[in-house]
Amino acid sequence: MKSALTGRRFFTSWSGGKDSALALHHAIRSGGIPERLITMMTETGERSRSHGLSRDLLVRQAAAMGLPIRFASATWADYERIFQAAVADAVTDGVDLGIFGDMDIESHREWVISTSSRAGADAELPLWGRERAGLMEEVVDAGFQAVLVAVRDGLLPPGLLGEVIDRDMIRRFGRAGVDLAGEKGEYHTVVVGGPIFRRPLPYAVGEKVLRDGVWFADIRVPDPGDGEPDGTS
């Protein structure tokens, strides 16, 4: 049966983590054509708003997937306006469908639909309403390598930072009583390999710091040294 996404060019609202990666994977499998990633950064442009990932890491990640990435820097106060402008730029280029990794927080769903609509784009949420255990099993079964880059202090130990999520890790989340998918901010990830990657992304775990009740690990990527162009445009 032909999917509603078949042949449609789309952008992905890209956090760099497992949810946006799995949503992108679903959209491709449904026949959509990925055209770009859109990532919102802090006002300095150095770190992503959602997961605190470095610009360099995101550029290398996009290159490993063979996709262009667009960055937009914003404070929380002007986040909506600047994100909407980034979507409008995609629409101007003929990319009028957005893919989002939201699961079940209704206010988030309403926001992405309304903000996209005002910019002239449709919004699809492939993971919406998914049961957590099944979704996390799919992440592992599909071969995604989701590395923990942030854990909330007091809920999960900082020693987990830099580890790849597997079934044992999912069981550990369950024993800790946290949302298995980390949807309430219990943890964040960066994806360094999987079915949407042309090649796995090598990485190293750097400094671990505590900020605003969350432990973050600085995940770095070694210089490729092969002169290959990056994924920005």
Side-chain angles (χ1 to χ4, degrees):
M1 182 178 296
K2 186 176 180 180
S3 164
L5 296 184
T6 300
R8 288 200 67 179
R9 301 168 65 200
F10 68 85
F11 68 86
T12 300
S13 179
W14 186 252
S15 71
K18 61 177 178 51
D19 300 338
S20 55
L22 187 59
L24 171 59
H25 180 52
H26 274 267
I28 293 172
R29 291 181 63 188
S30 295
I33 303 170
E35 293 286 353
R36 73 180 63 174
L37 311 173
I38 295 177
T39 299
M40 296 298 291
M41 308 292 282
T42 61
E43 53 267 43
T44 66
E46 296 176 357
R47 295 276 174 178
S48 65
R49 269 280 167 212
S50 56
H51 292 13
L53 305 179
S54 71
R55 186 185 183 98
D56 178 69
L57 175 58
L58 289 158
V59 166
R60 303 287 182 85
Q61 188 186 44
M65 294 188 290
L67 291 173
I69 185 167
R70 303 288 202 276
F71 295 107
S73 300
T75 65
W76 285 120
D78 59 8
Y79 185 101
E80 181 171 322
R81 176 181 62 81
I82 292 177
F83 179 77
Q84 186 173 319
V87 174
D89 284 344
V91 172
T92 298
D93 292 339
V95 183
D96 62 354
L97 174 65
I99 300 298
F100 297 84
D102 300 274
M103 297 178 193
D104 63 5
I105 299 177
E106 184 60 33
S107 60
H108 290 186
R109 177 179 176 274
E110 292 172 356
W111 188 89
V112 299
I113 291 174
S114 64
T115 306
S116 299
S117 178
R118 289 195 301 274
D122 297 325
E124 290 286 339
L125 290 72
L127 311 185
W128 188 256
R130 287 285 305 277
E131 184 267 332
R132 296 292 198 270
L135 186 144
M136 292 305 296
E137 287 177 5
E138 183 180 356
V139 168
V140 174
D141 289 345
F144 282 108
Q145 294 174 275
V147 177
L148 285 167
V149 295
V151 294
R152 187 161 295 281
D153 189 37
L155 294 180
L156 293 170
L160 295 179
L161 293 172
E163 297 294 320
V164 175
I165 292 179
D166 57 14
R167 280 187 168 75
D168 287 340
M169 182 76 74
I170 295 169
R171 285 192 286 269
R172 184 164 187 168
F173 293 156
R175 291 193 298 270
V178 303
D179 185 297
L180 296 184
E183 184 70 353
K184 297 178 177 64
E186 295 94 337
Y187 69 86
H188 294 303
T189 62
V190 61
V191 175
V192 297
I196 58 177
F197 282 73
R198 293 179 176 178
R199 62 180 186 278
L201 187 68
Y203 68 95
V205 182
E207 184 182 13
K208 300 176 182 180
V209 298
L210 179 64
R211 294 197 302 269
D212 300 323
V214 178
W215 284 97
F216 290 90
D218 186 28
I219 304 296
R220 296 175 285 104
V221 180
D223 290 332
D226 57 7
E228 183 178 356
D230 62 33
T232 59
S233 63

